Amino acid sequence: MHPNNFDFDWDNWLWQLRSSLKSRTDFEKWFTLTPEEKIIFSQDKSEFNIRSTPYYSALATDHPEDPIRKILMPHALEFDDGNQSLEDPLNEKNNNPTSRIIHRYPDRVLFLITDMCSVYCRYCTRKYFTGHEQNLLKKDELNNGLKYIKSHPEIREVILSGGDPLTLSTEKLSQILFEIRKIDHVEIIRIGTRMPVVCPMRVDLDLVKELKKYKPVFLMTHFNHPRELSLEAANALELFVDNGIPTFNQMVLLNGVNNHAVIVKALSRRLLYLRVKPYYMFQCDPSRGTDHLRTTIEDSEQIQRELWGKLSGLALPQLSIDIPNGGGKVGLTPNFEVSRNESGRSYQGWDQITAEYINPNPKNILKPIDIDTYSNEI
Ligand SMILES: *Cc1c(COP(=O)(O)O)cnc(C)c1O
Ligand code: SF4
């Protein structure tokens, strides 16, 4: 065979990126497209970039209701604005002091170091930014971002995001981490990535060793469905955790994909077994073209309630909704309170046991802590 025809290197992440499915022809080699799926390819250009690695495509089946297929495959309903449809659901452009930095909370910032992903998830919240130029950040964008972080000593945590930071070469990523670590007041670095899900061959010892140099570095993965936890993905997670990189998972509840307590339970337990802590379970943001992928708040609350008590606290993710327009995250906790009065409150627990918790007697409550006197000891 001619060497040029033998371009098959499955375990090589660069091959996975190079061989990604982008056009209708590519997708038709893998899937029997439904009329609704064909429609979006027949437009001049889908509003949101289309792309999937061969690896992730192989996790999907040809069934139109397949959960992984729903994440990667564009659908005609993306043209339906539904009940709420926002270009920038979290109003990040309003908290964007310099290109690539989102500063919404007092002590932590997002640093969008690339707009590229190896799979464009159809529910992406940052469609206004993700997958447009498919470029690395320019030199002045990097420098302005670093300058902003340097000049804001209240920033203790930098969250590398995008796009997907692990689409960068290890060398490039390491250079950025090196620059951030030089800033004294930055304590924690987080990396948000879906590469362990959609291209686990990206994770190798070389990458992990580099990350380890800049500790404490936390990894935030984004598994949505137990079927994404393949042997390759599990090996990638193990490599991070074995090398001392604490790993957390953020999932998004998606209609027809994972909006059932049985699915969330299976995902969370398997992640925990792999030493990955389920962190957030997000309500899907009303990003444009996602109405058909969103769950109702009631549906999400019901799932959270069904998990409560039955799942180890270590495996339990926190249901969270991002207030549209940049209000920040709100945690949704099931309400177990049945009644309250001045002396206490009654609760009914996860298995229906009800009892009252009574507050301590006011005469036994000591003086409030004098924070100024003792603050030197904190
Ligand atoms: C979610 C988010 C964070 C991180 O929030 P945590 O609750 O600490 O995980 C930081 N900045 C922005 C803009 C966010 O949307
Ligand atoms: S990996 Fe994240 S940023 Fe990239 S398309 Fe998916 S949801 Fe959006």
Side-chain angles (χ1 to χ4, degrees):
M1 194 187 288
H2 191 276
N4 287 345
N5 288 337
F6 199 67
D7 177 34
F8 186 87
D9 196 359
W10 189 264
D11 293 328
N12 177 336
W13 71 281
L14 292 169
W15 180 85
Q16 288 284 340
L17 295 197
R18 203 163 62 233
S19 314
S20 285
L21 292 62
K22 294 179 194 148
S23 63
R24 175 168 168 175
T25 322
D26 296 339
F27 275 82
E28 279 179 332
K29 286 187 194 139
W30 287 78
F31 301 100
T32 317
L33 299 189
T34 66
E36 295 76 23
E37 291 165 350
K38 279 181 187 159
I39 283 174
I40 205 140
F41 285 108
S42 63
Q43 307 291 320
D44 283 347
K45 199 170 186 293
S46 152
E47 277 196 43
F48 184 50
N49 216 322
I50 298 170
R51 180 181 184 126
S52 176
T53 55
Y55 165 83
Y56 195 59
S57 311
L59 291 186
T61 70
D62 204 20
H63 196 291
E65 297 302 320
D66 180 88
I68 292 165
R69 180 184 176 127
K70 281 190 170 171
I71 292 175
L72 65 86
M73 181 72 79
H75 192 279
L77 283 169
E78 288 183 24
F79 291 123
D80 184 336
D81 278 346
N83 279 355
Q84 190 173 29
S85 166
L86 305 168
E87 195 222 348
D88 172 13
L90 310 185
N91 203 0
E92 294 185 326
K93 288 180 181 166
N94 230 25
N95 293 298
N96 188 206
T98 173
S99 141
R100 308 284 186 146
I101 294 276
I102 318 277
H103 195 176
R104 174 70 192 88
Y105 295 106
D107 68 341
R108 50 210 193 278
V109 292
L110 297 189
F111 197 174
L112 311 181
I113 60 172
T114 176
D115 77 330
M116 178 172 163
C117 297
S118 56
V119 171
Y120 289 113
C121 318
R122 305 322 296 167
Y123 58 83
C124 183
T125 195
R126 202 169 287 133
K127 288 183 182 178
Y128 74 88
F129 172 81
T130 307
H132 287 274
E133 305 299 326
Q134 306 210 56
N135 278 329
L136 286 179
L137 69 177
K138 298 182 193 77
K139 209 168 176 65
D140 65 314
E141 289 177 313
L142 173 64
N143 289 335
N144 290 340
L146 291 168
K147 216 190 291 172
Y148 181 84
I149 299 167
K150 270 183 208 146
S151 61
H152 288 263
E154 72 276 20
I155 298 172
R156 291 162 177 266
E157 188 172 333
V158 175
I159 304 168
L160 299 185
S161 184
D164 195 322
L166 292 191
T167 57
L168 268 62
S169 70
T170 300
E171 193 190 354
K172 185 74 211 166
L173 190 65
S174 181
Q175 285 166 8
I176 297 172
L177 289 168
F178 180 79
E179 293 301 324
I180 295 172
R181 256 299 156 243
K182 284 202 292 201
I183 308 172
D184 279 344
H185 56 265
V186 175
E187 296 167 2
I188 304 288
I189 300 174
R190 267 197 236 183
I191 300 178
T193 177
R194 223 167 112 75
M195 287 298 263
V197 186
V198 295
C199 190
M201 40 293 278
R202 167 67 184 99
V203 182
D204 53 23
L205 200 54
D206 188 40
L207 169 73
V208 171
K209 276 187 181 157
E210 279 307 307
L211 299 188
K212 206 172 172 177
K213 285 186 193 165
Y214 305 104
K215 68 184 181 184
V217 172
F218 285 65
L219 193 83
M220 315 303 284
T221 60
H222 182 166
F223 288 87
N224 287 321
H225 194 280
R227 263 197 20 228
E228 293 175 332
L229 280 168
S230 66
L231 189 60
E232 291 94 327
N235 286 338
L237 294 175
E238 183 160 52
L239 203 52
F240 285 116
V241 181
D242 277 351
N243 283 282
I245 299 168
T247 304
F248 293 75
N249 188 66
Q250 312 192 136
M251 63 174 293
V252 181
L253 281 171
L254 296 164
N255 177 35
V257 173
N258 60 7
N259 57 332
H260 196 292
V262 167
I263 299 174
V264 180
K265 257 187 229 172
L267 173 65
S268 299
R269 287 193 171 132
R270 286 178 209 178
L271 283 166
L272 186 66
Y273 188 73
L274 295 164
R275 292 169 290 166
V276 176
K277 164 81 185 106
Y279 179 47
Y280 280 135
M281 174 163 72
F282 283 117
Q283 181 72 17
C284 183
D285 295 316
S287 178
R288 284 182 74 168
T290 63
D291 211 64
H292 62 297
L293 292 171
R294 296 196 287 134
T295 56
T296 62
I297 299 171
E298 291 72 20
D299 187 8
S300 309
E301 278 182 328
Q302 185 52 35
I303 291 168
Q304 178 82 333
R305 186 174 266 279
E306 282 175 46
L307 302 178
W308 212 274
K310 298 178 190 117
L311 203 56
S312 159
L314 289 176
L316 187 72
Q318 160 80 59
L319 177 61
S320 179
I321 183 164
D322 246 299
I323 307 174
N325 247 338
K329 294 178 184 68
V330 193
L332 301 187
T333 307
N335 183 11
F336 293 107
E337 188 179 317
V338 218
S339 66
R340 63 165 80 183
N341 55 42
E342 303 91 83
S343 65
R345 299 185 194 184
S346 286
Y347 297 99
Q348 183 171 57
W350 65 276
D351 61 352
Q352 315 310 319
I353 290 179
T354 309
E356 188 180 13
Y357 180 94
I358 301 172
N359 281 326
N361 192 314
K363 80 173 168 55
N364 291 329
I365 297 181
L366 300 174
K367 280 190 297 186
I369 294 174
D370 180 356
I371 201 75
D372 296 326
T373 305
Y374 295 104
S375 59
N376 289 342
E377 293 175 25
I378 295 172

